[in-house]
Short mmCIF file of all heavy atoms in Angstrom, two decimals:
data_model
loop_
_atom_site.label_atom_id
_atom_site.label_comp_id
_atom_site.label_asym_id
_atom_site.label_seq_id
_atom_site.Cartn_x
_atom_site.Cartn_y
_atom_site.Cartn_z
N LEU A 1 0.83 -1.19 -0.01
CA LEU A 1 -0.02 -0.02 0.00
C LEU A 1 0.88 1.26 0.00
O LEU A 1 0.57 2.21 -0.70
CB LEU A 1 -0.92 -0.02 1.24
CG LEU A 1 -2.29 -0.61 1.11
CD1 LEU A 1 -2.99 -0.57 2.46
CD2 LEU A 1 -3.15 0.10 0.09
N ALA A 2 1.92 1.22 0.82
CA ALA A 2 2.79 2.39 0.93
C ALA A 2 3.43 2.75 -0.41
O ALA A 2 3.72 3.92 -0.66
CB ALA A 2 3.87 2.11 1.96
N ALA A 3 3.66 1.74 -1.22
CA ALA A 3 4.25 1.98 -2.54
C ALA A 3 3.34 2.77 -3.47
O ALA A 3 3.75 3.31 -4.49
CB ALA A 3 4.64 0.66 -3.21
N GLU A 4 2.03 2.80 -3.11
CA GLU A 4 1.03 3.50 -3.93
C GLU A 4 0.84 4.95 -3.50
O GLU A 4 0.06 5.71 -4.14
CB GLU A 4 -0.33 2.76 -3.88
CG GLU A 4 -0.23 1.34 -4.43
CD GLU A 4 -1.56 0.58 -4.26
OE1 GLU A 4 -2.55 1.24 -3.87
OE2 GLU A 4 -1.58 -0.66 -4.48
N CYS A 5 1.47 5.34 -2.42
CA CYS A 5 1.34 6.71 -1.90
C CYS A 5 1.89 7.72 -2.93
O CYS A 5 2.83 7.40 -3.71
CB CYS A 5 2.03 6.89 -0.59
SG CYS A 5 1.26 5.98 0.77
N ARG A 6 1.33 8.93 -2.97
CA ARG A 6 1.78 9.95 -3.95
C ARG A 6 3.25 10.32 -3.74
O ARG A 6 3.99 10.52 -4.68
CB ARG A 6 0.92 11.23 -3.83
CG ARG A 6 1.26 12.29 -4.82
CD ARG A 6 0.41 13.52 -4.60
NE ARG A 6 -1.00 13.23 -4.72
CZ ARG A 6 -1.97 14.13 -4.48
NH1 ARG A 6 -1.60 15.39 -4.11
NH2 ARG A 6 -3.26 13.81 -4.61
N PHE A 7 3.67 10.42 -2.42
CA PHE A 7 5.04 10.83 -2.13
C PHE A 7 5.85 9.67 -1.65
O PHE A 7 5.40 8.87 -0.78
CB PHE A 7 5.02 11.96 -1.09
CG PHE A 7 4.23 13.15 -1.51
CD1 PHE A 7 3.01 13.41 -0.88
CD2 PHE A 7 4.66 13.99 -2.47
CE1 PHE A 7 2.24 14.52 -1.27
CE2 PHE A 7 3.91 15.10 -2.88
CZ PHE A 7 2.69 15.35 -2.26
N ASN A 8 7.09 9.58 -2.10
CA ASN A 8 7.96 8.44 -1.72
C ASN A 8 8.29 8.52 -0.23
O ASN A 8 8.52 7.47 0.39
CB ASN A 8 9.29 8.51 -2.53
CG ASN A 8 9.06 8.19 -3.98
OD1 ASN A 8 8.12 7.49 -4.33
ND2 ASN A 8 9.91 8.70 -4.85
N ASP A 9 8.37 9.71 0.39
CA ASP A 9 8.70 9.83 1.80
C ASP A 9 7.46 10.01 2.64
O ASP A 9 7.52 10.61 3.76
CB ASP A 9 9.68 10.98 1.99
CG ASP A 9 9.09 12.32 1.55
OD1 ASP A 9 8.05 12.34 0.85
OD2 ASP A 9 9.71 13.37 1.86
N CYS A 10 6.35 9.51 2.23
CA CYS A 10 5.08 9.65 2.93
C CYS A 10 5.20 9.03 4.32
O CYS A 10 5.68 7.91 4.47
CB CYS A 10 3.93 8.99 2.15
SG CYS A 10 2.30 9.16 2.90
N SER A 11 4.76 9.74 5.35
CA SER A 11 4.79 9.22 6.71
C SER A 11 3.46 8.55 7.07
O SER A 11 3.34 8.05 8.20
CB SER A 11 5.11 10.36 7.69
OG SER A 11 4.04 11.28 7.73
N HIS A 12 2.50 8.56 6.15
CA HIS A 12 1.21 7.91 6.33
C HIS A 12 0.43 8.53 7.51
O HIS A 12 -0.21 7.81 8.28
CB HIS A 12 1.39 6.40 6.52
CG HIS A 12 2.36 5.81 5.57
ND1 HIS A 12 2.25 5.91 4.23
CD2 HIS A 12 3.52 5.10 5.83
CE1 HIS A 12 3.26 5.30 3.65
NE2 HIS A 12 4.05 4.80 4.59
N GLN A 13 0.55 9.86 7.65
CA GLN A 13 -0.15 10.54 8.71
C GLN A 13 -1.24 11.43 8.12
O GLN A 13 -2.43 11.09 8.19
CB GLN A 13 0.81 11.40 9.50
CG GLN A 13 1.93 10.62 10.22
CD GLN A 13 1.40 9.73 11.32
OE1 GLN A 13 0.34 9.99 11.89
NE2 GLN A 13 2.09 8.64 11.60
N SER A 14 -0.84 12.57 7.48
CA SER A 14 -1.88 13.47 6.93
C SER A 14 -1.56 13.93 5.52
O SER A 14 -2.17 14.88 5.01
CB SER A 14 -2.02 14.65 7.85
OG SER A 14 -0.74 15.31 8.03
N GLU A 15 -0.51 13.34 4.86
CA GLU A 15 -0.14 13.75 3.54
C GLU A 15 -1.28 13.48 2.50
O GLU A 15 -1.96 12.44 2.62
CB GLU A 15 1.13 13.01 3.05
CG GLU A 15 2.38 13.40 3.86
CD GLU A 15 2.60 12.47 5.04
OE1 GLU A 15 1.60 11.82 5.49
OE2 GLU A 15 3.73 12.39 5.50
N PRO A 16 -1.42 14.34 1.51
CA PRO A 16 -2.42 14.07 0.43
C PRO A 16 -1.99 12.89 -0.41
O PRO A 16 -0.76 12.68 -0.61
CB PRO A 16 -2.41 15.39 -0.35
CG PRO A 16 -1.05 15.98 -0.09
CD PRO A 16 -0.74 15.64 1.34
N GLY A 17 -2.91 12.14 -0.87
CA GLY A 17 -2.59 10.98 -1.74
C GLY A 17 -2.00 9.80 -0.98
O GLY A 17 -1.33 8.96 -1.58
N CYS A 18 -2.22 9.71 0.33
CA CYS A 18 -1.66 8.61 1.08
C CYS A 18 -2.59 7.39 0.98
O CYS A 18 -3.74 7.39 1.42
CB CYS A 18 -1.55 8.96 2.57
SG CYS A 18 -1.01 7.60 3.61
N ALA A 19 -2.09 6.32 0.34
CA ALA A 19 -2.86 5.13 0.12
C ALA A 19 -3.13 4.38 1.41
O ALA A 19 -4.20 3.72 1.56
CB ALA A 19 -2.13 4.21 -0.88
N VAL A 20 -2.22 4.49 2.36
CA VAL A 20 -2.41 3.80 3.62
C VAL A 20 -3.55 4.43 4.46
O VAL A 20 -4.43 3.68 4.98
CB VAL A 20 -1.10 3.84 4.45
CG1 VAL A 20 -1.34 3.26 5.86
CG2 VAL A 20 0.02 3.08 3.71
N GLN A 21 -3.56 5.77 4.54
CA GLN A 21 -4.63 6.44 5.27
C GLN A 21 -5.99 6.23 4.55
O GLN A 21 -7.06 6.07 5.20
CB GLN A 21 -4.38 7.93 5.35
CG GLN A 21 -3.32 8.29 6.40
CD GLN A 21 -3.79 7.96 7.84
OE1 GLN A 21 -4.98 8.10 8.16
NE2 GLN A 21 -2.89 7.39 8.64
N ALA A 22 -5.99 6.17 3.24
CA ALA A 22 -7.22 5.90 2.50
C ALA A 22 -7.76 4.52 2.82
O ALA A 22 -9.02 4.34 3.00
CB ALA A 22 -6.95 6.01 0.98
N ALA A 23 -6.88 3.51 2.92
CA ALA A 23 -7.31 2.18 3.27
C ALA A 23 -7.82 2.08 4.70
O ALA A 23 -8.76 1.38 4.99
CB ALA A 23 -6.12 1.18 3.07
N LEU A 24 -7.19 2.91 5.60
CA LEU A 24 -7.64 2.92 6.99
C LEU A 24 -9.02 3.54 7.09
O LEU A 24 -9.89 2.99 7.78
CB LEU A 24 -6.64 3.76 7.81
CG LEU A 24 -6.94 3.87 9.30
CD1 LEU A 24 -6.87 2.50 9.95
CD2 LEU A 24 -5.97 4.81 10.01
N GLU A 25 -9.26 4.60 6.37
CA GLU A 25 -10.57 5.24 6.34
C GLU A 25 -11.65 4.35 5.73
O GLU A 25 -12.83 4.38 6.16
CB GLU A 25 -10.53 6.58 5.61
CG GLU A 25 -9.70 7.66 6.31
CD GLU A 25 -9.51 8.87 5.46
OE1 GLU A 25 -10.16 9.01 4.39
OE2 GLU A 25 -8.73 9.78 5.86
N ALA A 26 -11.21 3.52 4.78
CA ALA A 26 -12.20 2.61 4.13
C ALA A 26 -12.42 1.37 4.97
O ALA A 26 -13.32 0.56 4.69
CB ALA A 26 -11.65 2.18 2.76
N GLY A 27 -11.64 1.18 6.04
CA GLY A 27 -11.83 0.02 6.92
C GLY A 27 -11.24 -1.24 6.41
O GLY A 27 -11.53 -2.33 6.91
N THR A 28 -10.33 -1.18 5.43
CA THR A 28 -9.72 -2.41 4.85
C THR A 28 -8.46 -2.82 5.59
O THR A 28 -7.95 -3.91 5.34
CB THR A 28 -9.40 -2.20 3.36
OG1 THR A 28 -8.58 -1.04 3.19
CG2 THR A 28 -10.69 -1.97 2.57
N ILE A 29 -7.90 -1.96 6.46
CA ILE A 29 -6.78 -2.35 7.29
C ILE A 29 -7.09 -2.04 8.73
O ILE A 29 -7.92 -1.19 9.03
CB ILE A 29 -5.47 -1.66 6.83
CG1 ILE A 29 -5.59 -0.14 6.99
CG2 ILE A 29 -5.06 -2.07 5.43
CD1 ILE A 29 -4.29 0.64 6.66
N ASP A 30 -6.39 -2.71 9.64
CA ASP A 30 -6.62 -2.58 11.07
C ASP A 30 -5.73 -1.48 11.65
O ASP A 30 -4.52 -1.43 11.41
CB ASP A 30 -6.34 -3.91 11.76
CG ASP A 30 -6.50 -3.84 13.28
OD1 ASP A 30 -7.63 -3.63 13.70
OD2 ASP A 30 -5.47 -3.95 14.00
N ALA A 31 -6.35 -0.55 12.40
CA ALA A 31 -5.61 0.59 12.96
C ALA A 31 -4.52 0.15 13.90
O ALA A 31 -3.40 0.70 13.91
CB ALA A 31 -6.59 1.53 13.67
N ALA A 32 -4.79 -0.85 14.76
CA ALA A 32 -3.77 -1.29 15.74
C ALA A 32 -2.57 -1.93 15.00
O ALA A 32 -1.41 -1.73 15.38
CB ALA A 32 -4.41 -2.33 16.70
N ARG A 33 -2.85 -2.73 13.97
CA ARG A 33 -1.80 -3.35 13.22
C ARG A 33 -0.92 -2.28 12.47
O ARG A 33 0.27 -2.36 12.40
CB ARG A 33 -2.32 -4.34 12.24
CG ARG A 33 -1.31 -5.18 11.49
CD ARG A 33 -1.93 -6.43 10.83
NE ARG A 33 -0.93 -7.12 10.02
CZ ARG A 33 -0.70 -6.86 8.77
NH1 ARG A 33 -1.39 -5.88 8.13
NH2 ARG A 33 0.22 -7.53 8.10
N LEU A 34 -1.62 -1.25 11.96
CA LEU A 34 -0.92 -0.17 11.29
C LEU A 34 -0.02 0.54 12.26
O LEU A 34 1.16 0.86 11.94
CB LEU A 34 -1.92 0.85 10.69
CG LEU A 34 -1.39 2.15 10.16
CD1 LEU A 34 -0.44 1.92 9.02
CD2 LEU A 34 -2.52 3.09 9.75
N ALA A 35 -0.44 0.77 13.49
CA ALA A 35 0.36 1.43 14.51
C ALA A 35 1.60 0.57 14.83
O ALA A 35 2.70 1.11 15.01
CB ALA A 35 -0.48 1.72 15.75
N ARG A 36 1.43 -0.73 14.91
CA ARG A 36 2.56 -1.62 15.25
C ARG A 36 3.58 -1.59 14.10
O ARG A 36 4.82 -1.60 14.30
CB ARG A 36 2.09 -3.04 15.48
CG ARG A 36 1.22 -3.21 16.72
CD ARG A 36 1.11 -4.67 17.15
NE ARG A 36 0.57 -5.53 16.18
CZ ARG A 36 -0.74 -5.79 15.99
NH1 ARG A 36 -1.62 -5.20 16.81
NH2 ARG A 36 -1.16 -6.60 15.05
N TRP A 37 3.09 -1.56 12.86
CA TRP A 37 3.98 -1.49 11.71
C TRP A 37 4.80 -0.21 11.71
O TRP A 37 6.03 -0.25 11.54
CB TRP A 37 3.14 -1.58 10.43
CG TRP A 37 3.88 -1.39 9.13
CD1 TRP A 37 4.90 -2.13 8.64
CD2 TRP A 37 3.64 -0.36 8.15
NE1 TRP A 37 5.32 -1.65 7.39
CE2 TRP A 37 4.55 -0.58 7.11
CE3 TRP A 37 2.73 0.68 8.07
CZ2 TRP A 37 4.58 0.27 5.98
CZ3 TRP A 37 2.75 1.49 6.95
CH2 TRP A 37 3.67 1.30 5.92
N GLN A 38 4.15 0.93 11.94
CA GLN A 38 4.82 2.18 11.97
C GLN A 38 5.85 2.24 13.09
O GLN A 38 6.91 2.82 12.94
CB GLN A 38 3.81 3.34 12.11
CG GLN A 38 2.96 3.49 10.82
CD GLN A 38 1.91 4.58 10.98
OE1 GLN A 38 1.19 4.65 12.01
NE2 GLN A 38 1.76 5.41 9.98
N LYS A 39 5.48 1.68 14.25
CA LYS A 39 6.42 1.67 15.37
C LYS A 39 7.69 0.87 15.07
O LYS A 39 8.77 1.27 15.35
CB LYS A 39 5.71 1.10 16.61
CG LYS A 39 6.63 1.08 17.87
CD LYS A 39 5.86 0.55 19.03
CE LYS A 39 6.81 0.50 20.27
NZ LYS A 39 6.09 -0.01 21.48
N LEU A 40 7.47 -0.33 14.45
CA LEU A 40 8.61 -1.17 14.11
C LEU A 40 9.52 -0.50 13.06
O LEU A 40 10.75 -0.56 13.17
CB LEU A 40 8.14 -2.54 13.59
CG LEU A 40 7.81 -3.61 14.60
CD1 LEU A 40 7.49 -4.89 13.92
CD2 LEU A 40 8.96 -3.82 15.58
N LEU A 41 8.91 0.14 12.03
CA LEU A 41 9.71 0.82 11.06
C LEU A 41 10.52 1.96 11.64
O LEU A 41 11.73 2.07 11.37
CB LEU A 41 8.77 1.38 9.94
CG LEU A 41 8.26 0.44 8.89
CD1 LEU A 41 7.34 1.20 7.93
CD2 LEU A 41 9.43 -0.20 8.09
N ALA A 42 9.88 2.72 12.50
CA ALA A 42 10.61 3.86 13.15
C ALA A 42 11.74 3.35 14.05
O ALA A 42 12.81 3.91 14.03
CB ALA A 42 9.62 4.70 13.95
N GLU A 43 11.46 2.28 14.78
CA GLU A 43 12.47 1.73 15.67
C GLU A 43 13.65 1.18 14.91
O GLU A 43 14.83 1.43 15.24
CB GLU A 43 11.85 0.60 16.48
CG GLU A 43 12.80 -0.18 17.41
CD GLU A 43 12.13 -1.33 18.03
OE1 GLU A 43 11.14 -1.14 18.73
OE2 GLU A 43 12.59 -2.48 17.83
#
């Protein structure tokens, strides 16, 4: 999903064209799992 974002350096927070946030709003991905993924990437 992240590869479909408009910007290569998208943080998946509030950027326009974020495919991850769009999927979250559509209910196709789990918010808790998304948070764990972001935490692991940042760590």
Side-chain angles (χ1 to χ4, degrees):
L1 268 177
E4 298 175 10
C5 292
R6 182 183 301 176
F7 303 108
N8 292 333
D9 59 349
C10 183
S11 65
H12 318 302
Q13 298 294 333
S14 57
E15 293 91 339
C18 176
V20 174
Q21 282 297 320
L24 182 63
E25 291 173 9
T28 57
I29 61 175
D30 178 64
R33 186 164 175 271
L34 171 61
R36 294 197 301 271
W37 173 61
Q38 291 177 315
K39 181 179 179 180
L40 277 185
L41 279 180
E43 175 187 302

